[in-house]
Amino acid sequence: MTASKQKEIKKAVLMAFPHTIPVLTGYLILGMAYGILMQTKGYGAFWSVLMSLVAYGGSMQFAAIALLTSVFNPLQAFLLSLMVNARHLFYGISMLDKYKGLGKARAILIFMLSDETFSISSSVAPPQEVNRKYFFLTISVLDYLYWAVGTFLGSVIGGFITFNTAGLDFVLTALFVVLFLEQTKQKENQTAGVIGLLAAIVGRLMFGAENMVIPSMVIILLVLLLGRKKI
Amino acid sequence: MTLTAGQTVIMILVIALGTMMTRFTPFILFPEGKETPKIVTYLGKVLPAAMMGLLIIYCLKDISFQAAPHALPEMIAIVLIVILHKWKGNVLLSIAGGTVAYMILVQLVF
């Protein structure tokens, strides 16, 4: 690696890291919760970390615990992961432009496009003097590592934690609230933001906590398409 | 472990396959070389704000307004975040402030 490339990467890491601090907190806590939960079901650090590295995606990993502890049914697991993760379809559509022209790095960025990574990368723009590819890679890879490290720590030392962490996982809700405020600073996004909130509330009230995501996505899509001219 | 090691590996792989299909599909449908349809470009612009709204509600999906503490910790913390963010405009400060406030509320107040 040339010295100038190294310098470029270092600069991008320094600029991108602060954006990931809330995810560092949230992923360590939730990753640990995941590791602890897997441990109680008889799955040690090896299995938990393997799952976190290969099938990286928090909500489905939690949902999958039930599947790992019942009758072997891979088809059901596959369909459930499609449904639980359907929202990622909208993340991809949103990132088509931002991830354009990044070569091989693009596949890594797509592989690591979790809720939190999407939230950050869709909300922030790399500073002018910073290499775009390294900037987005830093956010994605750091988040990915936080999750894996959290999982590992939960599996190995989860039982020894004594300070009261109740409520600490609210850090991710707070992250989404703040990034919502950031996104809706631009006038043209305000209507879309309100549509998202209302559609999700309707989805939650009509379809319940377990099944709210896909109906909410359909409502969002319909309203955005029908209201296109006005927005 | 209920499943055998081999079965667990298969489960991890199919879960990964499902997850990755949802992440990769848009990029496969609209490759870099071709011009993306205008309607998709439009959705790409407005979806992030809408999805951030959905993610907020998704995080709150299990709270109850009927049962004590009537979603008060969540509502108070969110109002605090909004005020803090409008006032200082510092992302990390708003997130940290809201989270600490929430922890105090659920551990000591409610």
Side-chain angles (χ1 to χ4, degrees):
Chain A
M1 201 184 293
T2 61
S4 76
K5 195 175 171 187
Q6 238 168 12
K7 220 171 144 189
E8 234 183 325
I9 294 176
K10 199 176 156 194
K11 200 156 122 193
V13 171
L14 285 176
M15 294 307 282
F17 167 70
H19 294 294
T20 69
I21 292 174
V23 182
L24 170 63
T25 320
Y27 273 17
L28 282 182
I29 291 302
L30 283 176
M32 284 180 71
Y34 177 69
I36 293 169
L37 216 55
M38 283 285 277
Q39 188 74 287
T40 63
K41 305 289 178 189
Y43 287 94
F46 172 79
W47 292 113
S48 309
V49 174
L50 186 70
M51 180 70 101
S52 286
L53 290 176
V54 177
Y56 174 55
S59 42
M60 182 57 202
Q61 284 182 240
F62 277 103
I65 293 177
L67 302 174
L68 290 173
T69 49
S70 66
V71 185
F72 180 58
N73 190 341
L75 181 65
Q76 185 199 22
F78 173 68
L79 293 176
L80 188 70
S81 86
L82 279 182
M83 282 188 294
V84 170
N85 289 309
R87 62 188 185 284
H88 290 107
L89 290 169
F90 284 4
Y91 301 165
I93 291 174
S94 308
M95 299 307 284
L96 285 172
D97 212 39
K98 277 199 158 175
Y99 285 173
K100 206 168 245 176
L102 297 181
K104 280 182 204 145
R106 196 158 161 266
I108 301 172
L109 292 169
I110 300 168
F111 175 82
M112 296 180 176
L113 196 55
S114 65
D115 293 312
E116 287 73 15
T117 299
F118 162 73
S119 313
I120 301 171
S121 295
S122 69
S123 302
V124 300
Q128 285 244 297
E129 71 281 8
V130 171
N131 182 304
R132 197 169 121 249
K133 178 169 84 180
Y134 298 139
F135 182 82
F136 285 128
L137 268 179
T138 301
I139 293 173
S140 297
V141 173
L142 283 179
D143 287 357
Y144 181 71
L145 292 177
Y146 300 155
W147 181 248
V149 170
T151 305
F152 177 77
L153 290 177
S155 311
V156 178
I157 58 158
F160 298 105
I161 290 179
T162 48
F163 84 99
N164 191 350
T165 57
L168 192 51
D169 52 352
F170 191 77
V171 70
L172 293 179
T173 313
L175 172 76
F176 295 138
V177 172
V178 171
L179 292 181
F180 177 86
L181 295 173
E182 286 289 307
Q183 296 250 8
T184 51
K185 262 185 194 165
Q186 289 158 295
K187 232 180 165 182
E188 64 267 28
N189 286 338
Q190 282 170 5
T191 319
V194 174
I195 289 170
L197 280 178
L198 292 179
I201 291 171
V202 171
R204 168 64 183 81
L205 293 177
M206 287 181 65
F207 296 89
E210 295 309 310
N211 303 309
M212 64 166 282
V213 175
I214 292 178
S216 306
M217 285 171 64
V218 173
I219 299 171
I220 287 173
L221 196 63
L222 285 178
V223 178
L224 284 178
L225 290 177
L226 290 174
R228 188 180 175 193
K229 294 232 167 62
K230 284 169 211 151
I231 297 170
Chain B
M1 275 173 77
T2 321
L3 306 178
T4 67
Q7 286 175 332
T8 308
V9 169
I10 293 171
M11 291 295 272
I12 291 175
L13 289 178
V14 295
I15 291 164
L17 182 70
T19 306
M20 292 314 153
M21 277 172 69
T22 63
R23 285 189 190 149
F24 277 88
T25 301
F27 294 92
I28 294 166
L29 284 180
F30 308 109
E32 284 192 331
K34 281 190 195 154
E35 204 185 327
T36 312
K38 278 215 171 68
I39 195 93
V40 177
T41 311
Y42 158 73
L43 285 175
K45 282 208 186 94
V46 288
L47 276 176
M51 290 309 280
M52 227 50 70
L54 187 148
L55 284 169
I56 295 171
I57 305 300
Y58 185 71
C59 285
L60 303 173
K61 67 181 166 40
D62 296 315
I63 61 172
S64 164
F65 286 93
Q66 281 91 37
H70 311 288
L72 277 174
E74 286 81 7
M75 294 305 126
I76 294 170
I78 288 175
V79 169
L80 204 82
I81 293 170
V82 175
I83 294 170
L84 202 55
H85 200 65
K86 295 276 176 201
W87 177 36
K88 291 283 181 186
N90 181 321
V91 171
L92 289 178
L93 180 73
S94 310
I95 293 171
T99 307
V100 170
Y102 182 78
M103 290 178 74
I104 293 171
L105 287 170
V106 293
Q107 289 186 17
L108 304 174
V109 182
F110 291 99

